[in-house]
Amino acid sequence: MIAVKSFPAQDRRMKVLGIESSCDETGVAVYDTHIGGAAGLRAHAVYSQIALHAEYGGVVPELASRDHVRKLLPLIRQTLAEAGLGMGDIDGVAYTAGPGLVGALLVGAGVARSLAWALDVPAIGVHHMEGHLLAPLIEDDAPQPPFVALLVSGGHTQLVAVDAIGQYRLLGETLDDAAGEAFDKTAKMMGLPYPGGPQLAKLAESGTPGVFKFSRPMTDRPGLDFSFSGLKTQVLLAWKGSDQSAQTRADIARGFEDAVVDTLAIKCARALDAAGCGTLIVAGGVGANKRLRAKLTEMCERRGGRACFPRPALCTDNGAMIAYAGALRLVAGQHEDATIRAVPRWDMAELPLV
Ligand code: KG4
Ligand code: ZN
């Protein structure tokens, strides 16, 4: 649990440095709570390690850690310069404490904690998925809880009832592959380079809907859990039994994307019913998917509600969401003892209320 301490009210307008290093992206941002809204994001920069891991077909944890070591300090300098700030202007530091790759997390946590120590400012370890979940709230005209959140990333697919910031009830989650993982594995099976999710989505744009029809897993029974691994097998069989032409690949990609998007939309509608809510927020890398954004927007509007997304760059891993989530907690007077925290597995339900 986070040790909650309080600090004086005059400190509660803060410029918070956010550091994300849980996987293969180094993200840094400054969020200024005095400005607030989207303009409060004074600067943010992401360095992606995609090229480094591409030849291995997936993230190599040790290489990821070493690259964070190389890139983090230059990225912090660059981001502060873009924000027109000096190191001494920072009032608090937020870093991803977990979940994620332990070595990668340790790099961000070590740098963040050391900076906070040197600057004598408070620091806080942020839950990566809470960061994703709160990213839509950075945008202007953001909704306030209660709402339902769909978290769709490479490691998670969860439906969460958000009663208040920091108060999260898990409504459903994937029993096997995450939605992003299913995109990546399916893309790999059809020979697309790593990371396949965005490439598969691009390919699906030139595919014809309905040529390949895959199932909408677990929608034929009640419940809010997901399962995407069977879908992957269906695609594999379809691909192996096909002529494997460029058009067929695009048609299969379209069939797969439609199946995932429909499944997510069906479960989101059910989750809104279960929570008695009209507002859905969507976050995580798969939230950048255009067809998913269109489908969920239409579904929510048809119900008289609203679907909210961060801009695509804030769907995938970034420092802005960590700066923002950390700023909410720091401003509320929460910060930690001078310990470096890296928690590879961490349940969001354990978080304290803001
Ligand atoms: O949130 P994120 O950047 O990292 C994790 O915390 O996992 O999500 C990355 C995931 C990857 O699986 C990637 O393939 C998927 O998000 N993704 C997409 C799209 N952009 C990223 N999946 C489908 N369509 C996209 N446009
Ligand atoms: Zn993520």
Side-chain angles (χ1 to χ4, degrees), residues 25 128 132 153-155 180-181 183-184 196-198 201 284-286 288-289 315-317:
E25 253 110 29
H128 181 80
H132 275 303
S153 70
E181 189 180 359
F183 262 94
D184 295 337
V286 185
N289 184 277
C315 284
T316 45
D317 288 349

Side-chain angles (χ1 to χ4, degrees), residues 131-198:
H132 275 303
L133 191 152
L134 297 177
L137 308 194
I138 297 174
E139 306 296 2
D140 292 331
D141 194 23
Q144 287 306 311
F147 46 66
V148 169
L150 171 68
L151 302 179
V152 268
S153 70
H156 291 77
T157 299
Q158 295 183 329
L159 278 163
V160 179
V162 180
D163 301 317
I165 294 185
Q167 196 172 328
Y168 308 121
R169 274 184 299 127
L170 185 64
L171 299 174
E173 65 182 334
T174 184
L175 305 177
D176 40 57
D177 292 350
E181 189 180 359
F183 262 94
D184 295 337
K185 287 180 175 171
T186 303
K188 194 172 182 178
M189 265 164 20
M190 292 202 292
L192 297 175
Y194 164 86

